[in-house]
Amino acid sequence: MIEIEDLPELHDPVMICAFEGWNDAGEAASRVVEHLGLLWEAETVAAIDPEDYYDFQVTRPRVTNQGQGRGIHWSTTRVLLASPDSLGRDVLLVTGIEPSFRWRAFTAELLDLAAANGVTTVITLGALLADVAHSRPIPVFCSSEDETVVYKHDLEPSSYEGPTGITGVVADGAHQAEMVSISAWASIPHYASQVPCPKASLALLVQLEDLLDTVIDHGDLEEEARAWERGVDELASTDEDVAEYVSALESAQDTSQLPEASGDAIAKEFERYLRRRGDGTDNPG
């Protein structure tokens, strides 16, 4: 780990991670961390040495104009520090590209930095392609192995089995290190996988509001999400087969979400809304 700035003593820090590549359909997850970094005026405090973890024939360095001549920019994973007043705690934002190799060592470096600076909660963000309709709310599956977090946020342990990306490895590493590990994944319509997908980024950001018990400025994401949906509407309307397929997805999704309109579900959502705005009975986390 290359430390760029000395880290001060942090207040109840949480780490939020997103990685470009396999874990990041529609650039949805990485866009959230980018948004938070700009919103909270985060500063880069550390970076992973790219020499150890990246294949430069896959993740090629870029020649850039640095004002006083050209230089080489090496893509890697960076750690940024934010201290948003609205949250009342420090945040370490992790953003970068999924490494090419030595994932266990990569994860150990990242989590060693987290542990050394008092991080007790690690949130990993991801996005995947799925059979969902673009015209419906983007589903976000959020899971944790921590019983207290599961109860508080009405989550559930993941039952997924199969290939995973670096987000899965980091999430598991955090859990093995006895940190609270939470994963949030947005489902993006596979027939509209053109990047970026701001509607999915917005859905992940709303999920983060719930997990952090706070309100986060959405910036331009709401308008961008509406524009994205209009664009996919236009695309679907030009192809009868696609339009029919979307209609079938809408019906299936509407049917599967009917139980969410129950009185208990509405009451829970209202309690979350109040808690995020400081009007409920729970204190912000």
Side-chain angles (χ1 to χ4, degrees):
M1 182 72 69
I2 304 169
E3 293 198 14
I4 298 171
E5 296 286 346
D6 291 332
L7 277 166
E9 184 175 350
L10 303 184
H11 173 62
D12 190 22
V14 57
M15 177 176 277
I16 302 173
C17 309
F19 298 91
E20 300 172 26
W22 189 87
N23 318 266
D24 193 30
E27 298 179 359
S30 57
R31 175 74 185 280
V32 172
V33 172
E34 178 187 1
H35 175 81
L36 294 176
L38 293 172
L39 177 66
W40 291 340
E41 299 179 342
E43 298 289 339
T44 301
V45 293
I48 295 285
D49 188 344
E51 193 75 24
D52 293 334
Y53 302 107
Y54 291 95
D55 180 348
F56 295 134
Q57 290 185 323
V58 176
T59 307
R60 289 187 177 274
R62 299 182 62 186
V63 178
T64 60
N65 190 335
Q66 301 178 343
Q68 298 179 341
R70 296 193 303 166
I72 300 293
H73 173 77
W74 299 89
S75 296
T76 187
T77 294
R78 297 177 299 126
V79 181
L80 295 81
L81 172 62
S83 302
D85 294 334
S86 59
L87 191 56
R89 65 194 300 189
D90 292 313
V91 181
L92 290 175
L93 299 170
V94 178
T95 178
I97 303 169
E98 183 177 65
S100 305
F101 29 69
R102 300 184 66 222
W103 284 16
R104 286 180 292 184
F106 177 94
T107 300
E109 280 206 48
L110 200 57
L111 295 179
D112 283 350
L113 175 73
N117 288 279
V119 170
T120 57
T121 300
V122 176
I123 301 174
T124 52
L125 305 178
L128 71 159
L129 302 181
D131 293 329
V132 296
H134 72 280
S135 54
R136 297 297 184 263
I138 293 288
V140 175
F141 178 75
C142 196
S143 65
S144 178
E145 301 296 329
D146 185 273
E147 292 183 2
T148 302
V149 172
V150 167
Y151 177 78
K152 179 180 180 181
H153 297 288
D154 195 23
L155 308 183
E156 57 186 275
S158 175
S159 60
Y160 172 77
E161 293 182 294
T164 190
I166 192 62
T167 52
V169 176
V170 170
D172 180 71
H175 176 64
Q176 297 300 327
E178 299 184 346
M179 299 177 185
V180 174
S181 178
I182 306 172
S183 295
W185 283 78
S187 295
I188 294 177
H190 68 87
Y191 60 87
S193 58
Q194 300 88 344
V195 293
C197 182
K199 188 172 181 177
S201 296
L202 180 60
L204 285 171
L205 193 62
V206 170
Q207 181 67 65
L208 268 182
E209 289 183 310
D210 186 27
L211 295 174
L212 298 175
D213 287 334
T214 191
V215 178
I216 302 174
D217 188 343
H218 296 171
D220 296 330
L221 280 175
E222 292 184 3
E223 179 55 39
E224 291 178 11
R226 287 190 290 268
W228 175 86
E229 188 170 326
R230 289 194 300 269
V232 181
D233 280 341
E234 294 174 4
L235 179 65
S237 67
T238 63
D239 189 312
E240 185 175 333
D241 290 337
V242 173
E244 184 177 344
Y245 177 64
V246 171
S247 179
L249 288 176
E250 290 172 338
S251 297
Q253 205 164 333
D254 291 345
T255 301
S256 68
Q257 291 176 350
L258 281 176
E260 296 301 319
S262 69
D264 287 344
I266 292 172
K268 284 183 180 180
E269 184 58 34
F270 188 59
E271 287 173 4
R272 291 192 190 108
Y273 174 85
L274 293 178
R275 188 168 64 241
R276 288 199 297 265
R277 283 150 181 80
D279 298 326
T281 56
D282 293 340
N283 292 324

